[in-house]
Structure formats: structure tokens, C-alpha cells
Amino acid sequence: MVVLSKIYTRTGDDGTTALGSGRRVAKYDLRVEAYGTLDETNAAIGLARLHTRNSAPELDAMLARIQNDLFDLGADLCFPDETRDARGRLQVSDTQVKRLESEIDALNRELQPLRSFVLPGGTPAASFLHLARTISRRAERLVVALAARPDEPVGAPALHYINRLSDFLFVAARFANDKGKSDVTWVPGENR
């Protein structure tokens, strides 16, 4: 359980922050960038949920689970390799990845196949889900870059989860666009 009785500590005044192991690193460290970008993704999902809470309760429940999963993923990433085998350490699981895949499939069954690329937009919920999708893609690039470092391994379920997340958010945005009926589609060369 997390207990936060004091919010500021002044320990980061020198431009460093503590990883889950306690080791201090620069605030621009790639690991910190990766889980910080997950936090941005989570905030964008929170904005989308302002619009799904009443209009799409099933989708909203999925988004709530994902927000919690993103904290699990952040907890997984905040531990560097030297603590990879620590007992009790929270790590993303294959079960979480499989649940995300089944939710993608369930939402996608409700949608017509695409005949063009979709532009970010439509309903407010869809617009925020597209924003969350693009932020999650940036997070994925950072996590993959972190995993490519020989001294900074990232667990396979974490890599799989962040890869599936942008797919989920894309399908969820289409679902929030009246099951794709309000999608804004790309018209190649329309404004030449």
C-alpha cells in the first residue's frame, strides 16, 4: 500500500529522482521518460472518461481498468534491472495483455471495416482517445528504446501491453465515434 503524507521532499531539487530501487537518476533518464509518458497517456485517458462515463459505461469500465494497468506498468518500469528479480515487485502480466486483446476484439466486432485512414476527431471522447493513442505510441517508442539497452531490460509482458494499448485506443476511439459512423476519414489529396 502507498502512503503519501508529504507531497514535496526537496530531494529532486538537484534534478534527480528516485527509481523504485531507491537509486537516484537524472529526471531526463530514459526510464523516467518512459514511465512519465505513461502518466501522460493516463491523463489523456482520464479526459476521455469525462465523456464516456455516462454515454458508454462498458467502454468506460475498460478505460478504468487500463488506467489502473498503466500504474502497474509504471511500477514495473520504475524498477531497474538490479531489482528485476525482487520478491513482491509488481510486474505487468500476460493476463493483462490477453484481457486487452479480448477487449480490442470485442469493440472491433461492433465496427465496420475501414476503407480509409481515420483522422483524429469526431466526438469529444474519440478525440481524447486519439490523443491518448498518440501519447501511448510515444511511450511505446521510449519503452522499446529502453528495452534495447543491454543494461536496461524490460519484461516481455510490459512490451506487449504497451504495443497493444495504442491498438485498443484506436479501436476505442472508433467505438466512441458512434461505432465508427462519426469517424473523420482521410481523403488523399483532397486539398491540392
Side-chain angles (χ1 to χ4, degrees), residues 5-71:
S5 59
K6 189 171 181 177
I7 301 304
Y8 66 90
T9 62
R10 297 188 176 111
T11 57
D13 289 352
D14 64 353
T16 66
T17 191
L19 297 176
S21 65
R23 181 168 54 102
R24 297 203 64 84
V25 297
K27 289 186 178 188
Y28 55 81
D29 184 87
L30 186 56
R31 186 170 291 279
V32 177
E33 286 283 345
Y35 65 74
T37 307
L38 291 175
D39 193 29
E40 288 180 57
T41 303
N42 209 336
I45 292 170
L47 287 171
R49 291 191 64 212
L50 292 173
H51 303 281
T52 59
R53 189 163 282 124
N54 297 322
S55 65
E58 182 182 356
L59 176 58
D60 190 65
M62 292 175 187
L63 293 170
R65 285 190 294 273
I66 287 168
Q67 285 192 293
N68 199 78
D69 285 353
L70 287 175
F71 265 74

Side-chain angles (χ1 to χ4, degrees), residues 79-99:
F79 279 89
D81 184 48
E82 68 259 21
T83 57
R84 180 121 321 262
D85 296 322
R87 296 182 123 224
R89 188 164 101 44
L90 185 60
Q91 293 179 290
V92 171
S93 70
D94 289 326
T95 302
Q96 288 167 294
V97 176
K98 285 182 174 83
R99 191 203 68 240

